[in-house]
């Protein structure tokens, strides 16, 4: 394979600058080893073959963005940095936003985060360079790329990718309600609920974990967020929350979880609630017990 020199140009399409500051940190701080990628930073977009793009693409920046793109010579690779660039993040559906960027340019790699960690940015750029090499050598864009650029160690309390413990979820929808990015979607099925976390929309604020009454949803210290564009809509955590069947009337109902019971009731009541009867049958049983 022919060796190429990646010539990087950065475009800000209206970001808050958080991603841009993180990008600069990635470039300048030695421990992220970006120098091993042998990148040349260019000052004119016409000289670039690797575009790093931040921001949700504001209405105001659209024409500048399109003009800039017209000046780039093919082939080139595109790396979107930050949740805004991928899905518009917390600005989605705003009157001032015309993005995300893949409406206007073919994106190769997305790096989620608000902002992403420098290590993820470096990983995304490394993947972008591999795609650029393939494009320049006339090869098809790969479905998957393994990069050796990973150095993913984070403190335990780091707010990385979200995870869900289905057994503790009662489908109360609190997480969906408090999420500022519309990254959580809970839908009803005949057997219960489907709980989806769209990692490419998440701004990693941790609101969902903070407000979840049962601790079912939680942040992890995993920030492996540099993914190829073909994974944009599949990088989703899917959880299934099943109804229980009432042992009395056989109706389906959402049983309280152990975590919720421990919070709300004393041990004796927990035993009764664990009898797997639905709220309606329990109400009737209590009524009979008290008034008969
Ligand atoms: S992803 Fe977050 S940090 Fe990056 S531009 Fe958007 S709001 Fe700012
Ligand atoms: S994860 Fe927590 S907040 Fe979200 S629906 Fe489940 S129990 Fe409710
Ligand atoms: S951390 Fe939770 S609340 Fe915050 S954007 Fe991500 S899914 Fe939504």
């Amino acid at each position: 394979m022919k060796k190429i020199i990646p010539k990087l140009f950065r475009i800000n399409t209206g970001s808050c600058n958080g991603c841009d500051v993180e990008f600069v940190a990635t470039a300048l701080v030695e421990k992220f080893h970006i120098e091993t990628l042998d990148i040349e930073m260019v000052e004119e977009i016409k000289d670039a073959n690797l575009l790093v793009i931040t921001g949700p693409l504001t209405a105001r920046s659209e024409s500048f963005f399109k003009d800039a793109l017209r000046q780039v010579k093919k082939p080139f690779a595109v790396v979107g940095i930050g949740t805004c660039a991928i899905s518009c993040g917390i600005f989605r559906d705003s009157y001032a936003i015309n993005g995300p960027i893949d409406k206007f340019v073919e994106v190769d790699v997305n790096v989620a985060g608000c902002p992403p960690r420098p290590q993820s940015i470096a990983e995304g750029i490394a993947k972008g360079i591999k795609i650029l090499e393939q494009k320049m050598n006339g090869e098809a864009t790969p479905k998957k790329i393994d990069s050796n650029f990973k150095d993913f160690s984070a403190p335990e309390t780091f707010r990385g990718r979200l995870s869900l413990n289905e057994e503790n979820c009662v489908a109360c929808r609190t997480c969906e309600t408090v999420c500022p990015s519309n990254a959580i979607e809970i839908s009803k099925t005949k057997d219960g609920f489907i709980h989806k976390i769209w990692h490419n929309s998440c701004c990693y604020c941790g609101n969902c974990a903070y407000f979840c009454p049962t601790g079912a949803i939680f942040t992890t210290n995993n920030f492996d967020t540099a993914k190829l564009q073909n994974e944009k809509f599949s990088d989703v955590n899917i959880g299934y929350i099943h109804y229980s069947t009432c042992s009395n009337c056989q109706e389906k109902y959402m049983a309280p979880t152990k975590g919720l019971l421990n919070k709300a009731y004393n041990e004796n009541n927990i035993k009764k609630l664990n009898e797997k009867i639905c709220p309606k049958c329990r109400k009737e049983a209590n009524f009979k017990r008290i008034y008969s």
Side-chain angles (χ1 to χ4, degrees):
M1 188 187 280
K2 209 171 103 195
K3 176 94 181 126
I4 54 119
I5 300 172
K7 296 183 177 182
L8 189 151
F9 187 85
R10 184 179 59 81
I11 305 176
N12 179 337
T13 67
S15 98
C16 75
N17 280 344
C19 284
D20 306 85
V21 169
E22 215 65 14
F23 172 75
V24 172
T26 312
L28 295 183
V29 179
E30 218 170 79
K31 75 172 180 177
F32 304 127
H33 307 300
I34 195 113
E35 75 288 348
T36 60
L37 297 175
D38 289 331
I39 297 167
E40 190 184 314
M41 300 279 213
V42 292
E43 285 179 16
E44 303 278 345
I45 192 166
K46 63 181 173 48
D47 300 325
N49 56 18
L50 180 64
L51 303 183
V52 166
I53 304 175
T54 60
L57 211 149
T58 56
R60 203 177 158 80
S61 69
E62 183 184 323
S63 59
F64 297 104
F65 185 58
K66 285 178 176 165
D67 283 347
L69 291 176
R70 277 193 278 272
Q71 298 174 47
V72 200
K73 285 188 233 64
K74 287 186 176 172
F76 60 91
V78 175
V79 181
I81 304 281
T83 297
C84 278
I86 310 170
S87 63
C88 303
I90 53 172
F91 303 110
R92 181 144 35 120
D93 300 329
S94 158
Y95 71 95
I97 300 299
N98 286 3
I101 59 168
D102 63 359
K103 274 166 72 178
F104 301 93
V105 64
E106 201 178 300
V107 173
D108 297 292
V109 182
N110 293 302
V111 188
C114 183
R117 292 269 285 185
Q119 293 91 332
S120 306
I121 294 176
E123 165 83 356
I125 292 173
K127 286 184 171 174
I129 292 172
K130 287 199 177 174
I131 291 180
L132 178 64
E133 276 171 0
Q134 262 136 349
K135 283 184 179 179
M136 287 201 143
N137 286 299
E139 294 167 18
T141 309
K143 291 266 179 290
K144 198 173 176 344
I145 291 184
D146 286 323
S147 156
N148 295 326
F149 208 75
K150 291 186 168 126
D151 168 22
F152 292 165
S153 49
E156 277 303 307
T157 49
F158 179 78
R159 291 203 306 260
R161 284 160 71 88
L162 271 294
S163 191
L164 178 80
N165 181 344
E166 299 162 350
E167 285 185 5
N168 281 343
C169 179
V170 287
C172 67
R173 293 183 185 268
T174 303
C175 53
E176 191 184 43
T177 307
V178 299
C179 177
S181 297
N182 284 329
I184 296 178
E185 181 193 343
I186 299 173
S187 50
K188 218 171 175 177
T189 70
K190 66 176 178 33
D191 300 316
F193 293 85
I194 298 178
H195 184 293
K196 289 184 182 166
I197 307 166
W198 295 83
H199 293 300
N200 280 327
S201 294
C202 176
C203 68
Y204 300 84
C205 64
N207 261 4
C208 50
Y210 182 80
F211 288 106
C212 173
T214 64
I217 190 164
F218 53 94
T219 55
T220 68
N221 63 353
N222 173 354
F223 58 96
D224 182 4
T225 58
K227 310 279 174 186
L228 300 195
Q229 172 73 0
N230 63 21
E231 297 169 85
K232 175 170 173 175
F233 295 108
S234 59
D235 193 15
V236 183
N237 185 97
I238 303 181
Y240 298 92
I241 297 107
H242 297 289
Y243 287 129
S244 295
T245 305
C246 174
S247 56
N248 190 43
C249 68
Q250 312 306 313
E251 282 293 315
K252 304 253 188 230
Y253 75 106
M254 182 53 65
T257 65
K258 226 174 166 185
L260 198 58
L261 292 175
N262 283 338
K263 262 192 179 175
Y265 300 99
N266 66 31
E267 218 169 279
N268 286 340
N269 285 337
I270 288 176
K271 272 189 203 140
K272 278 186 203 150
L273 285 164
N274 271 338
E275 283 165 3
K276 295 272 179 204
I277 57 169
C278 68
K280 191 166 159 266
C281 290
R282 186 173 301 118
K283 227 187 264 172
E284 282 172 8
N286 283 344
F287 187 83
K288 276 184 200 154
R289 185 169 51 81
I290 295 166
Y291 296 105
S292 61

